[in-house]
Amino acid sequence: MVKKLLKIIFVLILSNSIYAQETNDSELKPKSNPIIYGEAFGGFVGMKHFGLAGGGELNYQYKKHLFTLRYSHESGYVKQDSVFAFSSVEDNDEYAILYGKRWLTRNHSYSVSAGISSNNLKLSFKDSDDNYYYQYKRFVGVPFEANFKWFAPKKRSSLIFNALTPSIGLKLFGSISKNSFVGAGLVIGFGLPKEY
């Protein structure tokens, strides 16, 4: 009787372990990395005066939703008496939070975003005695940007190599405020621009 009971228990345990190995393919979801990447950008900007801009971003994408922290610095210049001499008359530091959408294809992405920013503007003036004086302004703006980027379509051997493979593209950026600006330039990114 005890032997029969042990055999039944053994068969039940064996059949349960076999059943436990079966899975439904539709329930299996492959693990993927989060889409998170940093960017550095630079280019030309139009403020009250034409100039240069540069900055950096940290981006996180969930489904098609894109969340961005952006810092940028814009400088407007005026020409001096000499042929190649310019002096900065506008310097703006922008700190922004943006939300937008990002669409991925096999080897490139498109994104558009807008948000809110805090700006610190420094204006330089020169009086008739060639003395400089400065005016400082703080204001809120509505930052925006549009990006088009290329990245490596193939999965590398490890997540580290995927993160170190740069993406490169074009960026249109700016801010709408009482001291608006708009710029365009190149952007380079490092991180994980897609799921691998």
Side-chain angles (χ1 to χ4, degrees):
M1 179 73 178
V2 174
K3 285 185 180 181
K4 269 190 174 180
L5 189 57
L6 287 173
K7 286 180 184 178
I8 292 172
I9 292 172
F10 178 73
V11 169
L12 285 174
I13 291 173
L14 187 61
S15 66
N16 279 342
S17 65
I18 291 171
Y19 180 73
Q21 297 302 314
E22 292 179 9
T23 56
N24 187 349
D25 289 339
S26 64
E27 292 176 0
L28 282 179
K29 290 184 180 177
K31 289 185 178 180
S32 63
N33 57 279
I35 299 177
I36 186 165
Y37 56 96
E39 293 178 343
F41 63 92
F44 298 101
V45 66
M47 306 167 75
K48 285 186 180 175
H49 300 87
F50 190 73
L52 299 172
E57 293 185 351
L58 183 62
N59 299 282
Y60 172 72
Q61 182 178 346
Y62 176 72
K63 296 185 180 176
K64 288 188 176 165
H65 306 281
L66 183 64
F67 304 92
T68 303
L69 296 175
R70 179 174 91 186
Y71 166 77
S72 67
H73 180 82
E74 296 79 30
S75 293
Y77 295 92
V78 292
K79 191 174 181 311
Q80 297 291 343
D81 299 333
S82 175
V83 177
F84 296 109
F86 294 89
S87 96
S88 173
V89 292
E90 296 175 277
D91 282 301
N92 184 54
D93 288 307
E94 177 199 50
Y95 304 90
I97 298 173
L98 298 96
Y99 165 77
K101 297 282 188 174
R102 183 169 181 255
W103 299 272
L104 290 166
T105 64
R106 186 171 161 269
N107 63 347
H108 55 272
S109 68
Y110 313 89
S111 66
V112 290
S113 300
I116 189 165
S117 67
S118 172
N119 295 267
N120 299 318
L121 178 64
K122 175 184 168 186
L123 300 172
S124 303
F125 301 95
K126 186 164 76 168
D127 61 18
S128 58
D129 296 328
D130 286 341
N131 296 320
Y132 283 95
Y133 64 97
Y134 305 101
Q135 181 181 8
Y136 298 92
K137 294 182 179 180
R138 294 189 75 179
F139 59 94
V140 174
V142 178
F144 62 87
E145 66 177 53
N147 295 283
F148 178 77
K149 287 192 281 294
W150 293 269
F151 48 82
K154 284 191 169 182
K155 178 179 178 179
R156 306 290 176 176
S157 58
S158 76
L159 215 52
I160 299 287
F161 288 121
N162 291 325
L164 294 176
T165 304
S167 61
I168 191 163
L170 303 172
K171 180 185 286 289
L172 175 69
F173 60 95
S175 181
I176 301 168
S177 67
K178 59 183 179 180
N179 297 287
S180 297
F181 64 87
V182 65
L186 296 175
V187 60
I188 185 167
F190 289 95
L192 299 166
K194 61 181 287 188
E195 291 182 348
Y196 292 101

